[in-house]
């Protein structure tokens, strides 16, 4: 038996396993695949050696050699600190895991350069598909990935400049309904707290808010609009500014849960009875002790719908099709919303 070579830097290789047992790399490979051409005793020795040195087969490289995909799906989101994305990711995974895929999640922090780099890295790693929540309307990197044969599904924002499946929330309709509810309760000065203008959902929700005001003959007051908040502390400062105006809003509408939480804290600190409405239901909303109207929808369903759209593109692909997605017309799914009331 030849002397085992000294350990190399990096993870153990198949050659390390083969030299430890004194067989060829081909024999070690066959044994680890349970090939019947390798004697049972030899297979056991090879398995024991692999376990001893911690060798794990490179399934990605093996799949590519066999003409199959990697079994990985990239999930690109903008803010992992927001609980919405954990529910969304669980919805995606509940679908694609049933088809044998694993999810690789990347966070962009709503930064376009980070998103470009992340998508390029996923394509280089040969993921079978990408589900993305784009940070901006600049989606050339996603279009390039799709042109390279990687199926791309967008969530919470429609494709810009290329065709792709997407799943959206009824952002406009939900915001309009919530703002109208505040108006029917007698409020005429309603403030708006929203995401950065580049965020599609925030823009659509601002449009729904403005439409509700217009439908009731209330002019939109730009002094009552604050955009750009991504975290509760920023929303709290923005809400405090509105509440400190000479004629402050008697109600606030927030375009997402992070803004709603910040606004709630500002209202509590001010001691006012400002009414509050927001987009996205969230845990413990019913325990805040404040009348609260929320636009609710199933974020898990949003993820499941995105997962189904991608899975449909991946199903039925054989080794002869490479990374080419299953053809068919692009599809758009819109998740409906409803209003939920908490407090009196």
């Amino acid at each position: 038996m030849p002397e085992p070579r000294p350990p190399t830097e990096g993870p153990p290789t198949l050659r390390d396993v083969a030299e430890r047992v004194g067989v060829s790399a081909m024999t070690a490979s066959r044994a680890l695949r349970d090939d019947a051409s390798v004697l049972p005793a030899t297979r056991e020795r090879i398995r024991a050696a692999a376990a001893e040195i911690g060798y794990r087969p490179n399934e990605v490289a093996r799949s590519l050699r066999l003409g199959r995909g990697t079994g990985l799906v990239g999930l690109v989101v903008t803010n992992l600190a927001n609980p919405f994305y954990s529910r969304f990711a669980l919805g995606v995974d509940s679908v694609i895991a049933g088809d044998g895929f694993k999810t690789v999640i990347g966070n962009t922090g709503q930064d376009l350069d980070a998103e470009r780099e992340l998508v390029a890295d996923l394509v280089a790693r040969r993921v079978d598909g990408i589900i993305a929540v784009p940070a901006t309307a600049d989606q050339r990197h996603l279009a390039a990935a799709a042109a390279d044969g990687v199926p791309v599904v967008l969530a919470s924002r429609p494709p810009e400049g290329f065709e792709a499946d997407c799943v959206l929330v009824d952002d406009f309709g939900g915001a309009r309904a919530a703002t109208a509810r505040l108006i029917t309760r007698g409020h005429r000065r309603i403030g708006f707290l929203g995401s950065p203008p580049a965020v599609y959902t925030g823009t659509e929700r601002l449009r729904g808010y403005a439409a509700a005001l217009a439908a009731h003959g209330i002019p939109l007051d730009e002094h009552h609009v604050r955009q750009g908040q991504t975290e509760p502390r920023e929303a709290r400062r923005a809400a405090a500014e509105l509440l400190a105006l000479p004629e402050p809003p008697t109600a606030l509408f927030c375009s997402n849960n992070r803004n709603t939480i910040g606004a709630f804290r500002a209202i509590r600190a001010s001691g006012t009875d400002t009414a509050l409405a927001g987009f996205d239901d969230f845990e413990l909303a019913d325990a805040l002790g404040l009348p609260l109207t929320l636009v609710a929808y199933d974020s898990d369903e949003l993820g499941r719908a995105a997962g189904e759209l991608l899975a449909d593109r991946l199903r039925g692909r054989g080794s002869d099709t490479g990374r080419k997605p299953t053809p068919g017309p692009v599809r758009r799914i819109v998740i409906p919303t409803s209003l939920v009331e908490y407090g009196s």
Side-chain angles (χ1 to χ4, degrees):
M1 180 181 297
E3 285 291 323
R5 65 188 175 97
T8 58
E9 292 185 3
T13 66
L14 185 65
R15 183 182 172 193
D16 295 329
V17 176
E19 290 189 353
R20 196 174 190 85
V21 180
V23 298
S24 69
M26 181 63 74
T27 298
S29 176
R30 288 172 177 162
L32 293 173
R33 298 200 309 269
D34 285 329
D35 193 317
S37 66
V38 182
L39 294 174
T42 304
R43 289 205 303 269
E44 288 304 317
R45 288 169 51 215
I46 290 170
R47 287 199 199 97
E52 186 176 341
I53 67 173
Y55 169 73
R56 296 186 65 181
N58 187 335
E59 294 296 340
V60 170
R62 182 169 179 266
S63 294
L64 292 176
R65 286 196 301 271
L66 295 175
R68 298 198 298 263
T70 59
L72 301 176
V73 165
L75 178 56
V76 179
V77 300
T78 58
N79 185 5
L80 280 174
N82 190 333
F84 160 81
Y85 287 107
S86 62
R87 302 305 313 176
F88 174 71
L90 287 171
V92 169
D93 195 64
S94 69
V95 172
I96 65 169
D99 281 36
F101 294 98
K102 297 188 186 305
T103 308
V104 180
I105 302 178
N107 183 63
T108 66
Q110 292 184 333
D111 181 82
L112 179 58
D113 289 334
E115 183 178 304
R116 287 195 189 108
E117 184 176 342
L118 177 56
V119 170
D121 186 56
L122 291 171
V123 172
R125 292 175 185 273
R126 305 281 296 184
V127 294
D128 288 317
I130 294 174
I131 296 174
V133 180
T136 72
D138 186 348
Q139 300 170 8
R140 287 172 291 180
H141 50 296
L142 293 166
D148 193 40
V150 182
V152 174
V153 173
L154 302 189
S156 296
R157 186 174 200 132
E160 300 277 353
F162 75 113
E163 291 192 335
D165 296 327
C166 69
V167 55
L168 309 172
V169 173
D170 183 12
D171 300 300
F172 174 84
R176 181 177 56 185
T179 306
R181 181 67 59 87
L182 292 173
I183 295 171
T184 59
R185 289 177 177 161
H187 297 284
R188 305 285 294 180
R189 296 195 307 276
I190 302 173
F192 178 88
L193 298 178
S195 310
V199 178
Y200 172 83
T201 54
T203 301
E204 283 296 288
R205 293 167 189 178
L206 175 60
R207 197 167 66 86
Y209 156 85
L213 294 179
H216 290 80
I218 303 172
L220 191 153
D221 187 343
E222 295 291 346
H223 295 96
H224 289 165
V225 175
R226 296 289 187 277
Q227 291 180 276
Q229 304 82 232
T230 60
E231 292 300 330
R233 65 179 181 278
E234 299 167 342
R236 179 174 181 171
R237 286 196 296 268
E241 291 176 5
L242 292 178
L243 297 177
L245 291 173
E247 288 189 306
T250 60
L252 298 177
F253 172 71
C254 305
S255 75
N256 61 27
N257 54 12
R258 312 301 279 172
N259 275 277
T260 303
I261 292 169
F264 165 77
R265 291 171 178 166
I267 292 170
R268 278 300 171 121
S270 71
T272 65
D273 59 354
T274 308
L276 184 60
F279 218 105
D280 303 328
D281 201 352
F282 56 92
E283 193 172 1
L284 297 180
D286 60 335
L288 295 181
L290 180 78
L292 179 61
T293 300
L294 291 180
V295 182
Y297 59 94
D298 190 344
S299 51
D300 291 64
E301 182 184 356
L302 187 74
R304 288 192 297 272
E308 283 289 355
L309 287 173
L310 182 61
D312 285 347
R313 295 293 180 187
L314 297 176
R315 288 169 186 148
R317 297 191 310 173
S319 60
D320 60 330
T321 62
R323 304 173 82 185
K324 188 176 180 181
T326 302
V330 295
R331 291 162 296 172
R332 175 181 293 206
I333 297 173
V334 178
I335 304 299
T337 63
S338 61
L339 293 184
V340 178
E341 302 284 355
Y342 294 114
S344 56

